[in-house]
Amino acid sequence: MTPHSQARSPLLNDIWQELRSRPGRFALSMFAMSLGMSILSALIAMLLGLEEKSRDLSKQLGTNVVAIFQEDSRAAHPLLPKHTSFLRSNYPNGEISGIRHGVETAGVFSGISIAGVEPAYFQLRDWQLVAGRLLDERDLRERKRVAVVSEHLLEQHQLALGMSLPLGMSALRIVGVVSNPSNAISDKLSDGPLAIGANTLYLPLTLEDLWDTREYQANPLDGIFLRIPDYDSADQALSGLQALLEQPDLALERLTWVIPSNLIDKVRKMQGMVALTVGTIATLCLSLGGTTLSSILVSNVRERVAEIGLRRALGASRTDITVLFIVEGCVVAVAAALVGALLAHMLLATELASKTGLPISLGISSLMLPLAMALLLGTLFSFIPARSAAKIKPAEALKFE
């Protein structure tokens, strides 16, 4: 046994004996602190999950991409393919794609989302090609009945590259597979028109028979994606785009502009709301637990005056007495934090995460931060009782024997 372990053993043994002699008192403090620590662990996991979500949102929208939608999809003057042509004429070096959403309503693939896009769409969203090829200008020009699918859709429906899919009046041939698009923007934190998940077929935008019977130029778009390489960020490009598309002669009504910073701001607001509500509950529980722990230690000091006097008479210093009570408080706090953090991880890993609908990130941070907080609170709430114990004089203390 090392000298350090020999020095620690009597201290830890004294603390263990004290906890065993008064299990009811310390259990009460542990219960309140465990509840607070479990809520704190859940709060940390939620905040970390939202932080990851903000990065995913920015990535999935695309680097420096501006998405343009209309608040009213039935507007009298909707976004049209001619507006993408107008933007191309003003931003010849930009990457631009219109998009039109839909749902297959018949056949084997009933309920699957379909999206009419232009070739630049995949580059705008930074999606990686896994197999085959992406849509090209010839597909768009000749209105070829081809499709690009995600890996997820390919595996879920046991599809294969080159396979024909029944859709509409004829079939589509799978020509490419892209890496699974994240569902980061397919939930409550997203703007509806952005919510395209992994169960989507991507088709040439010019396949108008899949959408309605009007001429292609009359078919409205659900949105336009645009990346302008001349700007350092989408924020810098936004004001110029707004001035361009909000000209009176275009008659476009109630446009919505989405840039990465918009999505991140939405997550930040959610983080603030979670921190305020859950953080307040955690603070109240931890304060209750810490106050209970402090009261218990004060009571212990009064009951152990004779013991403290004997320790001082045998050579224990004021620092030794202070450390004894502070370590005692920290042991209770850390034990409570460990129980609370493990309980929170078990609940979050099972049903609670799905019921809250919030992104959850469980890891070393959501476990270690509550333990660090427990050490801080244990030291803080046990310091005053520990100092009062250290001030007891041996001669006066031995009179209580």
Side-chain angles (χ1 to χ4, degrees), residues 46-326:
M46 290 178 187
L47 293 179
L48 291 175
L50 285 168
E51 190 62 34
E52 291 182 3
K53 172 71 74 174
S54 67
R55 292 193 293 268
D56 287 341
L57 287 171
S58 180
K59 181 180 178 182
Q60 283 302 306
L61 178 58
T63 306
N64 290 339
V65 170
V66 180
I68 308 163
F69 305 104
Q70 280 183 307
E71 295 180 19
D72 185 359
S73 60
R74 295 171 295 179
H77 301 282
L79 286 169
L80 297 170
K82 69 178 182 180
H83 295 122
T84 61
S85 301
F86 175 67
L87 288 174
R88 285 192 183 92
S89 65
N90 284 273
Y91 299 101
N93 296 323
E95 294 177 326
I96 301 173
S97 174
I99 185 169
R100 186 179 294 127
H101 302 304
V103 178
E104 169 62 359
T105 58
V108 179
F109 301 100
S110 176
I112 287 182
S113 299
I114 57 177
V117 297
E118 298 178 70
Y121 180 79
F122 302 98
Q123 286 75 34
L124 285 164
R125 306 303 294 272
D126 296 325
W127 292 347
Q128 300 299 314
L129 180 66
V130 175
R133 66 174 180 85
L134 299 174
L135 303 179
D136 57 30
E137 292 296 338
R138 185 177 177 181
D139 296 327
L140 203 70
R141 185 173 59 254
E142 298 180 3
R143 303 179 184 180
K144 290 188 175 181
R145 301 188 69 83
V146 294
V148 172
V149 301
S150 69
E151 290 178 295
H152 175 80
L153 191 62
L154 200 75
E155 295 170 1
Q156 185 180 39
H157 291 276
Q158 299 180 339
L159 306 176
L161 196 65
M163 180 182 290
S164 293
L165 305 177
L167 192 69
M169 300 300 292
S170 58
L172 295 170
R173 182 169 57 87
I174 299 175
V175 296
V177 181
V178 293
S179 56
N180 291 330
S182 169
N183 286 321
I185 50 181
S186 299
D187 55 28
K188 65 175 68 175
L189 295 175
S190 72
D191 293 85
L194 287 174
I196 293 184
N199 290 316
T200 303
L201 291 169
Y202 300 93
L203 324 169
L205 184 62
T206 48
L207 290 178
E208 68 273 9
D209 60 293
L210 294 177
W211 315 101
D212 55 41
T213 57
R214 291 177 292 172
E215 292 295 324
Y216 167 58
Q217 283 298 116
N219 285 347
L221 298 175
D222 289 307
I224 298 175
F225 287 81
L226 168 65
R227 178 191 286 136
I228 308 172
D230 297 334
Y231 287 84
D232 293 330
S233 68
D235 303 68
Q236 293 177 319
L238 186 58
S239 59
L241 277 170
Q242 288 175 329
L244 192 65
L245 286 185
E246 290 177 354
Q247 297 178 65
D249 56 322
L250 293 180
L252 291 172
E253 304 170 358
R254 303 179 67 182
L255 294 178
T256 298
W257 307 81
V258 182
I259 56 178
S261 59
N262 293 151
L263 300 175
I264 293 173
D265 287 345
K266 186 174 290 189
V267 177
R268 292 287 182 264
K269 290 179 181 178
M270 180 69 73
Q271 282 180 316
M273 184 177 67
V274 170
L276 179 62
T277 54
V278 182
T280 299
I281 298 172
T283 300
L284 291 174
C285 291
L286 291 175
S287 298
L288 175 62
T291 303
T292 305
L293 174 62
S294 185
S295 301
I296 290 172
L297 290 176
V298 168
S299 178
N300 283 355
V301 169
R302 292 174 180 172
E303 294 179 3
R304 297 165 64 184
V305 171
E307 176 194 334
I308 294 169
L310 181 60
R311 287 176 180 273
R312 293 294 309 278
L314 293 176
S317 65
R318 287 188 173 186
T319 301
D320 295 332
I321 301 300
T322 302
V323 169
L324 173 65
F325 282 91
I326 287 179

